[in-house]
Amino acid sequence: MSRRELRGRRMDEPDAAEVYEAARLAYELGKVVRAMREGRGWSQDDLARAARLRRSTVARFEAGGSIPTLPILDRLARALDAELEIRLAPRAPAA
């Protein structure tokens, strides 16, 4: 079975789209944290110390391998001197 066929089968499973979206969001969040960390010239160890986390936790998060809790996001934001904004907004009506 090809990778494409396997992915197609997985996407047909119940809740697959939600799982895929959660993974995409985790990856995007990880990219932002990594960019901010690198912008400061910090290593993952530096960020882990500042956020009181393990380096493996930071590495896994930056790679999109875990979905962080709100307290972890808050610790990362504080360590990076960033503001954590979480909001729900109504979608614009379809045209």
Side-chain angles (χ1 to χ4, degrees):
M1 178 178 298
S2 73
R3 291 180 92 176
R4 178 174 279 172
E5 290 170 330
L6 184 58
R7 183 177 186 275
R9 275 191 174 175
R10 285 184 181 156
M11 291 305 288
D12 288 341
E13 293 176 10
D15 301 325
E18 289 177 20
V19 170
Y20 179 82
E21 181 63 10
R24 187 191 68 74
L25 289 172
Y27 175 76
E28 293 299 324
L29 276 169
K31 275 183 19 180
V32 169
V33 168
R34 180 179 179 179
M36 292 181 80
R37 173 183 60 76
E38 289 176 342
R40 290 179 160 270
W42 283 5
S43 67
Q44 288 179 339
D45 284 321
D46 295 329
L47 178 55
R49 265 191 302 280
R52 299 178 331 275
L53 298 168
R54 293 185 187 135
R55 190 204 55 79
S56 61
T57 301
V58 171
R60 193 170 38 255
F61 174 65
E62 286 186 355
S66 67
I67 299 172
T69 62
L70 291 176
I72 295 295
L73 283 174
D74 185 56
R75 285 163 68 176
L76 289 166
R78 288 174 188 265
L80 292 165
D81 194 28
E83 188 172 322
L84 177 62
E85 293 181 1
I86 300 168
R87 70 183 183 106
L88 295 173
R91 292 183 180 155

